[in-house]
Every structure is written in structure tokens, then in C-alpha cells.
Amino acid sequence: MDVRFTTAGDTAFNVEFGEGIDRPTNARVMALHARLKTAAPPGLVETVPTFRSLQVVYDPAVTSRREVQAAVEAELAHAGDAPAEGSLWRLPVCYDAELGPDLAELSASLGLSAERLIDLHGSTEYFVYMLGFMPGFAYMGDLPAELEKPRRSEPRVRVPAGSVATAGRLTTVYPWESPGGWHLIGRCPVPLYDGARPSPVLLAAGDRVRFEAVDRARFDALSAEAAAGRFDPDTLRAAP
Amino acid sequence: MSAPCLTIVRPGLFATIQDLGRFGHQELGMPVAGALDPIALRLANALVGNPVGTAGVEIALLGPALKVEADGVRVAVVGPMALSLEREGESPQALEPHRSHTLARGDVLKLGAVSGAAVAYLAVAGGFALEPFLGSLSTYVRAGIGPLGGKPLGDGGRLPLNRNDAPPGTDVELPEPPDYGSGPVRVVLGPQEDRFTAAAVETFLSATYRVGKDADRMGLRLDGPTLAHTGSADIPSDGLVTGSIQVPGNGQPILLLNDHQTAGGYAKIATVISADLPRVGRLSPGGALSFRAVTVEEAEAIRRRQEQTIAAWVRAIRPVRPAGGVDLEALYAENLVSGVVDIVNGNGDILNREEMCGRAP
């Protein structure tokens, strides 16, 4: 089980557990992330989990790479590969053609019916590998192999907030209106980022997500509730 | 009476509230943001007696005009910019940066153009009475995060103040503007220098790059020789830091600044060392830069020396000299340069400049 340290200047380094995007590699990332949160060695600023590596950020005015790496190595010796269990979320999604403008093109290019695509997307439990790109943007895997398709060659300048999208073996919900190159297949009426909440980001790395198809009427009703601040996202958290 | 504040008479072109960054939430995809030139912000705060890390106004391009709606306020600007004071019944008066100024109710502070660096900073004694978000007052405009709705200063808005009056004491100044040094920007190679050809690494460390017109708080696109990857430019997205230099498939490097996204999927050839981040944070489009590689240990030593230098600059802050008076400080400094015994001090010691700075009020 090779671990590789790479260097990001004098404020950070990465602990790399592999090259691929897979659950066992990510589990080791998350396990070390959890250990370092508890251990909190002096001068450690934060750790940032990504697909296959943990970025360790430190303050060089307080500590040194040597000291922080020694603390990380000590934790590595004890960190297993079983991170704490994340939450399971049931996120509503409306696969209406208007809300998922790439649904028809994507299903055609994959040689599937739209119904089959929706069924496959909705019948999988996804794992949140990491957050990044923008606050609350969750990289979730693993999309069924039948739905694998590289990003669009021409990214959209403006993807609406809430868009449910796929790229490669990953799926996501855009928390913000932003540019984006993923295939838009539906829309989630629940905001994944809400600055008014104590923890503004709904999903965390290590969480799991199931999408539940809702019709347009239900989507509109939930959107209105959310816009009025009357929707409690905790109701989407499945009982353990 | 209404709460003390500075009213924004004219917003300027891009002024934002920034502190030293919103750390601790990158796992949520939350960018760090914070001051592009943390040294200037630290010095501005020191000039008005604020603790390190107090938020100030980061001014890019052209600064705002602010009217004092408080009994008094002490302010300081650090950075290469023009500023002036309009006081009722008096003709407009040019003010100096790199010192504090005590303003009275009704005064209008006009911050002009920033020239010679990308940014300058305004600090107010006591700081702004704004609500931190996730522990920080840094503004991340792209997602509307931070104080003032996560937006730059707007027309007619208000900057609420924690103090209604200026603290006691006289105005102070830095003896001279801080010197950030020159020469190549120092980098540590990696984390993915092995994704580049040996020739590309050599080119990167020998060429001169220019900041392209796509330059903002997120990063600087650099114009110069292209850098070849050994294979694909893409990697599984991993963490980014301020100073990461990523190279997409077109071979043109992008130097990421404070508003960088938390993770990215392009190979990174090198990372600017923390001591040189304030220098690159000051770069504007057209600015030239080249790179020199150092080790992590060297980078850490450079940063430690820089912290000592900043501490010396802070210790050197002294009362503003009355116009036309005898410049005792300058006389002392002359003595030191000449190695003359400091008889004024009375103890026969020869003081070095550091100790001199330490004695300054």
C-alpha cells in the first residue's frame, strides 16, 4: 500500500493513495482526513480530501513541512481504510425535458431510451468522493457504465442552479448558476448551498446520495417551498 | 444618532472587504479568498493599532470615496495609491499613504487610482462592524460569499464601524514604503512536475512570462513559451493552493491566486512560495515575471526571515514628524549608520537598526 507525498509549495503537501477514482482509494483519503481532524497537530490549517489524495495545508510561519509530515505519518500508521459513515440523502430530481436539456441527446448517443437512462440514473446509490470547483459542488460516483460519456466538447456558459448532470462515471447537482460542461439531465429543487444555514453546504465528502424522480408539479411545489425558506433539507436525510 | 459608519459616496471600480482568508472550509469547496497582498493589509492594520487578521478594504484599480459618519475615525492606506481629504470649508488636501490619518465627522476620504501594483488596502481603527461568515470577513465575489452580500463596495452603501471615535494618540507612519524585493519569483516544483518534459521544466525556470489580460482575484494567465506535458494534461482533480501554477493542455501556465477553486484537474508544474505570494498578488496585466526553483526548506527559511522583516517594519512605525521640526529619528539613524556611540541613549551602547526600531513608540 504505497503512499506518495507530493509538494505544493511551503504551505501544503498531498498524500496520494493512488491514481484512480475508486472507492477503496477514496476511503483511505477519508480515513486520514478524519484522523487528522481529531489529531489537529500544531500549525495544521486544514485538510482537503479529493478523489485519490488528501491535501494537507499548514502555516509555515508556525510549523514546518518536516513536523507536519511526521504528524501525518504517525496518523497514517493508525488510519485504516474505513472512514466514519456519512449521511444518506434522498434528493428529488425532475427529469422533465425542459429541466434536463441534454437528456434526449445523451440518451440517443448512448443508444438508450430516455426512460432507461432515467431509470439507471435513479436506481444507483452514489458516493460523494469530494467537493470542489465551487462551494457545495459534489463529485458523486459511480455512474452506471452504460451512462458513461465524456464532458461536452463545448461547455455551457450558464448552467442553472440545481441542474442534475453527468460526465464520465460521475454525476452532480450544480449548487450555483455557473459555467459547466456536464450533460444536464434534470433539476433538483432543493438548494445544495444555502448561506443562511449554519453549515451552508448540504453534502459532505463521504456522504451517499439516491435520486428520487418527481414530476413537474412536485418539482414546482418543492422549488416554491425552498424559495420561501419553508423547506427543511434535513427531511431528505435518510434514517440510518 | 445612527450607528457609526463610512458612507460609500462613490464605490470605486472593485473594492472588497478582505481579511487573511477563510481557511478551514475547503473540504466544502469553499475558496479561501482573502487579501491578495497580505503584507500590505497587515501593515495598514498595524498603522491603526488593529490586531493581525483584522479585515480591511482591498482596493483594485480605482478606490472609493468614503464619508465619515462617526465622531472620528483613524484610517491608514498601504499601497501605491493617491488619496485626498475633503473637509467642509477647506480646500481638498492630498494625503499620504503608509501613515495613519485621523478623520472627523463629515470628512470625505477620496481614494484615487492604484498604480504600480494591483491592489492597496484601507484599514480603520477598530475594524468594521460586519458579520463574519464561516469565521472570516473575506469576500468571494464569484459566489456572493462574505460581507456586503459578497459584493464589491456599492454606491450609497455603508461600512459600519466598531468605534465611534478615533483611538487616543497621534498619527503614525512607516518610515518608508515596504520593499517586497525583486528578482525571479521563487517556486517549489510540483506537485506534478513529473507530468512535464525535462525541457518544459527548464523552459519554465528560464523564460520570462507576462501577465495576460485575463487576470483577476482567481488567477493570472501567463503569456510565454508553452510547456509540454509528457502525456495528458489532465489528472484526477486534487487540491490547489494560492500560488499553484497549473498548465492546461494548451501549455500556457495559470498562476492561481486567492479566489482559486479548491480543487482542479490540470497538472501543476510548481507552486509559488508563501513569501512571494504578496509580490505576485500585486502583479497587473502586462507585468513580467520569471521563476526560480527552491526547496521547501529554503522556502520555509525565506518565510521565517520575511516574518522577521515584517515585524521590524511594524516596530519601526513612529509618530508622524511635525513639519519643519528637527528630525531626531533621522539623526539617530545617521548615528547608527556611522557606528557612532548613541550618546542620546545615555548608556553607551551602539544600537543596531533593529533595536532602534524596537525602541520606537
Side-chain angles (χ1 to χ4, degrees), chain B residues 13-78:
Chain B
L13 287 178
F14 196 85
T16 56
I17 304 287
Q18 301 291 345
D19 57 21
L20 296 177
R22 181 174 288 105
F23 286 96
H25 307 282
Q26 289 193 83
E27 65 176 292
L28 306 178
M30 186 67 67
V32 172
L36 289 174
D37 179 353
I39 293 179
L41 176 60
R42 285 167 68 176
L43 292 175
N45 275 320
L47 284 167
V48 294
N50 288 343
V52 175
T54 304
V57 181
E58 180 178 279
I59 300 148
L61 305 166
L62 181 73
L66 305 165
K67 183 174 187 184
V68 179
E69 312 267 13
D71 289 347
V73 62
R74 186 162 295 142
V75 303
V77 170
V78 171

Side-chain angles (χ1 to χ4, degrees), chain A residues 68-85:
Chain A
V68 181
Q69 186 168 327
V72 168
E73 282 169 348
E75 293 304 320
L76 263 178
H78 299 105
D81 51 10
E85 186 90 329

